[in-house]
Amino acid sequence: MNLDTINLTEAVYQLSTKQQLFVLERLRKLNLNEYQARTLTYIASHNGSIQKELAGYLGKQTATVTNLLKGLETKGYITRKIPTENERQKQLYLTMPGESIVRQIQPIFQELELQMQQQLSVEQRANLAAILQQLNQNFGK
């Protein structure tokens, strides 16, 4: 391998790192980390979802997600309700402050998306999206 060229894995890693820094710098101003923000936006889109679904989305163990949810509950952003038909699973909902913070989070990810899209033509974006979808679907099979 020529050391002057970046391999695909390294290029994806570098881009991911830059995206994370972009997001984290802005989330710090809201006193949130990436997983808290992703949790809140997930709950906003999946009102009434359960912890197991959230853990799958985040790629985290349920114990880790439990601690994450406790922190968000302490901040007053979410509430967990026990449905009468299944007392073992708590459903997740945003509170009014949670809805407010999500409205502050969403522009951060929209700005990131816009910056990414502005660097590519419509055709390049379509090709890249198809390639990334293919890689995501087939990775680890």
Side-chain angles (χ1 to χ4, degrees):
M1 181 173 106
N2 183 350
L3 295 178
D4 293 334
T5 61
I6 297 175
N7 65 37
L8 180 61
T9 304
E10 184 64 22
V12 170
Y13 174 78
Q14 287 180 9
L15 180 58
S16 175
T17 300
K18 289 176 183 178
Q19 289 177 320
Q20 286 176 348
L21 287 173
F22 175 93
V23 170
L24 289 175
E25 286 174 1
R26 286 149 182 83
L27 289 176
R28 274 192 206 111
K29 295 174 186 172
L30 300 176
N31 200 24
L32 294 171
N33 65 39
E34 178 185 1
Y35 288 108
Q36 290 170 325
R38 292 203 176 278
T39 296
L40 291 168
T41 56
Y42 180 86
I43 295 170
S45 298
H46 302 86
N47 212 20
S49 60
I50 59 172
Q51 183 174 324
K52 184 177 180 181
E53 295 165 342
L54 175 62
Y57 167 75
L58 294 174
K60 295 288 180 188
Q61 294 183 356
T62 52
T64 302
V65 174
T66 297
N67 291 331
L68 180 62
L69 292 172
K70 283 180 184 177
L72 292 173
E73 200 168 26
T74 300
K75 288 183 177 189
Y77 293 145
I78 67 162
T79 184
R80 296 184 279 181
K81 296 180 182 176
I82 301 171
T84 54
E85 67 276 0
N86 188 345
E87 294 181 10
R88 294 181 65 215
Q89 294 182 339
K90 294 179 181 174
Q91 293 178 307
L92 307 172
Y93 298 93
L94 291 179
T95 61
M96 288 182 68
E99 291 173 4
S100 176
I101 199 78
V102 167
R103 285 192 295 275
Q104 295 173 62
I105 294 168
Q106 289 170 333
I108 295 169
F109 291 100
Q110 290 167 347
E111 183 182 352
L112 175 62
E113 179 68 19
L114 184 61
Q115 283 197 24
M116 295 291 293
Q117 287 189 14
Q118 287 176 338
Q119 298 181 50
L120 303 169
S121 70
V122 173
E123 183 179 347
Q124 287 173 319
R125 288 194 306 261
N127 289 337
L128 180 58
I131 291 167
L132 291 173
Q133 183 178 18
Q134 178 184 353
L135 288 170
N136 275 313
Q137 286 175 344
N138 296 321
F139 187 82
K141 282 188 173 181

